[in-house]
């Protein structure tokens, strides 16, 4: 049975799961969640995921939530992208935890506040605060990628697919690839992997909300 990923195109967290499955050649199909009209707060969705978030993966009898958890599930089932040595596998976990807290956790929120809230409700001070914190986070990633091709190993891993997840989106939220040359080249390397697709090509979205 094909796995079903509850997701929406604007969600970088869902993209981590979608990209991991796609690059690992794991059969999946998207189920669109109408986040912008409150679906994640509905009773039906909360039954599926009491945490009220995408991504949610239905894979046979299993219902999995949390993007990193889903990425590990796919990596373990396929034997791909988990790290090629025990040391690399520890690094993969370390960078996924870092991403979920420091990078995606803040970038997702900042992009939402700066683009998807109605203009008169966008909190300029909060956005500026997070953008300043994020600059330090981009600097850490950029420095780490100087002299290495991949975040956690000598080959691509799910840590790369976590850390990159908000960095391909076109909506402005304070991240400019030109400011971070090592990140820029690494994003190109990921995009050159066979089967790579942009989040808006991989998952259905609400284009009217992006206009
Ligand atoms: N730590 C979670 C974060 C998931 C998350 O924040 N999902 C957002 C979309 S990107 C969401 O569904 N939010 C629903 C809401 O806040 O109502 C993960 O990595 O899966």
């Amino acid at each position: 049975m094909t796995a079903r990923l509850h997701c929406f195109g604007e969600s970088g967290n869902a993209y981590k799961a979608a990209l991991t499955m796609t690059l690992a050649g794991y059969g999946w199909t998207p189920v669109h969640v109408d986040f912008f009209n409150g679906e994640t707060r509905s009773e039906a969705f909360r039954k599926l995921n009491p945490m009220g978030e995408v991504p949610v993966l239905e894979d046979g009898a299993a219902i999995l939530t949390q993007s990193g958890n889903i990425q590990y599930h796919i990596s373990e089932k396929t034997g791909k992208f988990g790290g090629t040595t025990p040391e690399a596998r520890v690094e993969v976990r370390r960078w996924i935890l870092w991403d979920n807290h420091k990078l995606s956790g803040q970038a997702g929120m900042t992009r939402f506040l700066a683009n998807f809230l109605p203009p008169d409700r966008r909190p300029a001070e909060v956005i500026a605060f997070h953008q300043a914190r994020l600059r330090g986070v981009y600097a850490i990633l950029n420095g780490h990628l100087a002299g290495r091709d991949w975040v956690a190993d000598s080959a691509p891993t799910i840590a790369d697919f976590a850390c990159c997840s908000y960095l391909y989106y076109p909506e402005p939220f304070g991240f400019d690839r030109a400011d971070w040359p090592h990140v820029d080249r690494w994003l190109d390397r990921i995009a050159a992997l066979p089967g790579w697709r942009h989040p808006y090509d991989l998952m259905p979205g609400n284009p009217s909300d992006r206009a």
Side-chain angles (χ1 to χ4, degrees):
M1 202 172 91
T2 304
R4 286 156 45 91
L5 182 69
H6 298 258
C7 61
F8 56 94
E10 294 81 359
S11 169
N13 288 307
Y15 182 54
K16 296 169 195 175
L19 184 62
T20 299
M21 289 192 285
T22 301
L23 295 180
Y26 196 79
W28 69 283
T29 189
V31 179
H32 183 243
V33 174
D34 195 356
F35 166 82
F36 291 101
N37 287 304
E39 189 178 337
T40 50
R41 297 184 182 181
S42 69
E43 208 178 312
F45 190 85
R46 293 286 161 117
K47 269 193 192 142
L48 182 69
N49 181 9
M51 291 176 175
E53 299 172 320
V54 306
V56 179
L57 185 71
E58 291 186 80
D59 194 6
I63 297 179
L64 296 139
T65 72
Q66 293 299 316
S67 59
N69 188 36
I70 296 170
Q71 288 189 290
Y72 267 101
H73 171 77
I74 300 304
S75 175
E76 283 160 11
K77 281 191 90 169
T78 61
K80 293 181 183 168
F81 302 125
T84 55
T85 62
E87 294 75 20
R89 286 192 278 281
V90 172
E91 277 299 278
V92 169
R93 189 168 58 228
R94 188 165 80 99
W95 281 96
I96 287 182
L97 290 168
W98 176 82
D99 164 75
N100 283 202
H101 177 213
K102 284 290 182 61
L103 177 50
S104 297
Q106 296 194 98
M109 172 62 70
T110 307
R111 173 167 156 272
F112 174 80
L113 295 176
N115 294 278
F116 298 135
L117 276 183
D120 60 335
R121 291 184 45 214
R122 293 175 191 170
E125 271 187 38
V126 177
I127 293 169
F129 174 80
H130 282 289
Q131 284 176 331
R133 281 176 59 85
L134 275 163
R135 276 192 286 280
V137 173
Y138 304 141
I140 288 168
L141 184 61
N142 195 59
H144 179 67
L145 285 167
R148 57 181 302 138
D149 285 348
W150 307 104
V151 161
D153 197 0
S154 55
T157 68
I158 50 176
D160 296 285
F161 311 150
C163 291
C164 75
S165 61
Y166 278 94
L167 306 182
Y168 291 111
Y169 283 108
E171 300 83 10
F173 61 93
F175 171 72
D176 184 345
R177 284 175 68 153
D179 295 339
W180 312 104
H182 301 299
V183 173
D184 181 50
R185 285 195 284 275
W186 162 76
L187 289 172
D188 281 343
R189 274 192 291 280
I190 297 174
L193 293 173
W196 179 89
R197 288 172 73 194
H198 189 276
Y200 286 144
D201 295 330
L202 214 45
M203 302 179 292
N206 293 54
S208 60
D209 291 299
R210 303 203 296 265

